[in-house]
Amino acid sequence: LAAAGSAVGLGNIWRFPYLAAKQGGGIFLLIYILLVVTFGYTIMVSEIALGRKTGQSPIGAYQSLAKRYSFIGWIAVFVAFIILSYYGVIGGWVIKYFYEFVAGHSLALTDSGFFAAFTGETWQPLLWFFLFMLMTYLVVVNGVEKGIEKVSKVLMPVLVVLSVAIAAYSAFLPGALEGIKYLFIPNFSQFTPMTLLAALGQMFYSMSLAMGIMITYGSYLQKSNDLSKCVKRIEFFDAGISILAAMMIIPAIFSFSAGDSAALSANLNQGPSLMFVTLPKVFGSMPFGGVVGAAFFLLVFFAALTSSISLMECVVSTLCDKWKLRRGPASAIVAGGAFLLGIPSSLGNGVWSSFTIFGKDFLSFFDFITNAVLMPVGALLTCLFIGYVVGVKTVSDEVKISSPFKREAMYNVMIKYIAPICIVAILVTSVLEAFGILTF
Ligand code: PFF
């Protein structure tokens, strides 16, 4: 459950729908699901098994199996820190929207220009970002994850129920059927290498993989727990929430664009602002939309908080273990550092929007470099480490302690050959694309 809490977050509700909208809908969904049940499964089983076997956090786990390879753990911690920095910026936007709904300003939020005007400001987004980081810090420093976990156990099912209701509502908006078709019927002509790359990055991000987080959670798992079953449940839950979020948003885009194909294409391609622009319109069109909107953003906030806690915890616990820092100072350093690093991501929507790296604003750049480059590198190293350094048996023996390992044959081939080759191919493509050598 804790691992599912880390997995389900902004990645599912904010990131997945805008990628699916942009990358061709059904074709993206199909590739995403295929990746989850093959790559995702393989890497998650590996991380949880390494954690349970060694009983350690990421760097310790690599170190105890083969000392020279502890750098893989460090890469993971570095990635977690970068993600934390911009995750907080978006977390701040979520709190702002919650506040606006509670303050009864739901009508103002339905205006398409509201989001850009708000994120383009200098101080306000920074303030909400600071608040989000502060809350994450307070939970981590006080060690009250247990409390948050209890709250999440109640709130996450509520999020599911509310999401189902909103998705059902969206499906019945006039013209929404086209959106449902777009999301569920793959159009193979829309496939580009970018679709694959985006789906791969999203899979790592959404399942909290290649960041050592699942190693940490694995270290708390009992030997009697059925490891393979746990992974399947996390996958199912995580992918389910992503699909629900896409169902809330994508049919609504088709409905609101009402046959205007230029508007439709602009809306489908809008990227990170999609959830914040489209959902308030959905709420605006329904009875009691203000209350539903407030409830929804509150639940998204909790989902985001459980994920950001896991990101911060990953970095803090490493500093405590390796640099012998106490929890208080370590948490302050990490929270303060992530806030500073996040400032460009926040300002990149406004005063710093003219600064771009590889044509991307700061937030998109950090998002790209973590999801499309560093996470695949981390995952590649994990595969090579297991396949060729410690041996696949280390993982399969660990899985078999508690249950039969039905997908063992697939696992072995995947981790030694298919995953590394595909990851390298995708990585090379993504780097060439970033340098403008390839365009899709
Ligand atoms: N999986 C989280 C989400 O989908 O929002 C984000 C995340 C949390 C990524 C923790 C990585 C991580 F280690």
Side-chain angles (χ1 to χ4, degrees):
L1 273 173
S6 163
V8 173
L10 295 171
N12 306 66
I13 300 160
W14 157 75
R15 203 169 185 279
F16 184 86
Y18 86 70
L19 284 178
K22 196 170 176 170
Q23 301 291 343
I27 185 72
F28 178 82
L29 181 61
L30 178 70
I31 293 177
Y32 181 75
I33 291 176
L34 287 177
L35 286 176
V36 167
V37 297
T38 52
F39 269 40
Y41 174 83
T42 304
I43 296 176
M44 194 179 263
V45 163
S46 307
E47 290 197 7
I48 296 187
L50 286 187
R52 190 170 75 174
K53 185 176 169 61
T54 58
Q56 306 225 22
S57 58
I59 297 175
Y62 284 106
Q63 222 163 22
S64 74
L65 290 166
K67 205 165 174 24
R68 270 196 297 155
Y69 294 90
S70 60
F71 74 93
I72 306 179
W74 282 108
I75 299 183
V77 172
F78 178 63
V79 181
F81 180 70
I82 301 182
I83 295 190
L84 177 65
S85 76
Y86 76 84
Y87 206 81
V89 174
I90 302 150
W93 299 346
V94 170
I95 309 181
K96 158 80 175 173
Y97 271 59
F98 169 65
Y99 165 80
E100 293 294 343
F101 272 109
V102 171
H105 302 154
S106 51
L107 199 62
L109 299 180
T110 58
D111 179 348
S112 299
F114 183 92
F115 178 79
F118 158 63
T119 53
E121 280 180 44
T122 300
W123 295 107
Q124 236 211 105
L126 281 178
L127 203 73
W128 294 107
F129 167 34
F130 182 79
L131 193 65
F132 186 86
M133 219 37 134
L134 184 69
M135 289 197 235
T136 308
Y137 163 77
L138 287 175
V139 174
V140 172
V141 79
N142 291 312
V144 293
E145 283 92 340
K146 289 260 148 29
I148 293 286
E149 221 171 86
K150 282 210 187 93
V151 178
S152 304
K153 264 187 203 160
V154 181
L155 291 185
M156 285 303 110
V158 181
L159 176 66
V160 175
V161 173
L162 191 69
S163 301
V164 170
I166 300 171
Y169 177 83
S170 283
F172 287 106
L173 287 170
L177 191 62
E178 283 311 306
I180 295 181
K181 285 190 198 153
Y182 179 76
L183 178 61
F184 289 105
I185 304 177
N187 175 353
F188 290 89
S189 68
Q190 297 224 8
F191 176 82
T192 67
M194 236 8 229
T195 323
L196 187 59
L197 178 67
L200 186 79
Q202 172 64 15
M203 181 209 81
F204 290 131
Y205 189 89
S206 186
M207 294 173 73
S208 302
L209 294 179
M211 233 159 313
I213 286 193
M214 291 299 158
I215 298 186
T216 313
Y217 284 125
S219 72
Y220 297 119
L221 206 61
Q222 310 266 312
K223 291 282 183 199
S224 58
N225 288 127
D226 184 335
L227 203 151
S228 176
K229 207 190 230 162
C230 281
V231 172
K232 282 184 210 157
R233 284 200 187 138
I234 301 170
E235 278 180 341
F236 179 76
F237 194 57
D238 189 61
I241 300 269
S242 295
I243 295 171
L244 271 178
M247 285 175 67
M248 285 185 237
I249 295 174
I250 293 181
I253 305 175
F254 279 76
S255 173
F256 297 141
S257 309
D260 177 346
S261 60
L264 177 65
S265 152
N267 287 334
L268 286 175
N269 283 304
Q270 67 180 287
S273 55
L274 186 65
M275 165 181 118
F276 294 94
V277 173
T278 308
L279 279 182
K281 290 188 187 161
V282 175
F283 300 140
S285 74
M286 63 169 61
F288 305 109
V291 181
V292 177
F296 178 79
F297 277 98
L298 181 68
L299 294 167
V300 174
F301 163 70
F302 269 97
L305 192 65
T306 50
S307 300
S308 69
I309 291 167
S310 72
L311 285 163
M312 193 181 281
E313 182 67 45
C314 169
V315 189
V316 168
S317 60
T318 307
L319 295 192
C320 290
D321 285 357
K322 294 292 145 195
W323 292 352
K324 304 281 172 268
L325 285 177
R326 278 180 300 117
R327 198 172 177 81
S331 311
I333 293 172
V334 175
F339 179 72
L340 290 180
L341 184 65
I343 290 176
S345 294
S346 181
L347 297 184
N349 294 290
V351 281
W352 286 1
S353 57
S354 51
F355 289 99
T356 55
I357 313 175
F358 298 134
K360 297 175 182 356
D361 61 62
F362 283 106
L363 196 152
S364 307
F365 172 72
F366 284 131
D367 187 78
F368 173 81
I369 202 84
T370 46
N371 296 296
V373 183
L374 293 172
M375 281 192 193
V377 168
L380 174 68
L381 292 171
T382 309
C383 292
L384 297 177
F385 179 75
I386 292 170
Y388 301 96
V389 179
V390 294
V392 277
K393 237 174 120 4
T394 314
V395 169
S396 47
D397 286 351
E398 183 62 36
V399 177
K400 283 189 225 159
I401 294 179
S402 47
S403 53
F405 190 9
K406 288 199 205 108
R407 298 195 203 167
E408 184 174 359
M410 176 194 88
Y411 177 86
N412 290 348
V413 179
M414 202 72 206
I415 199 124
K416 286 181 84 164
Y417 310 107
I418 302 182
I421 294 172
C422 293
I423 294 174
V424 170
I426 295 168
L427 253 175
V428 171
T429 320
S430 75
V431 173
L432 292 181
E433 204 260 346
F435 282 105
I437 299 170
L438 277 179
T439 45
F440 305 115

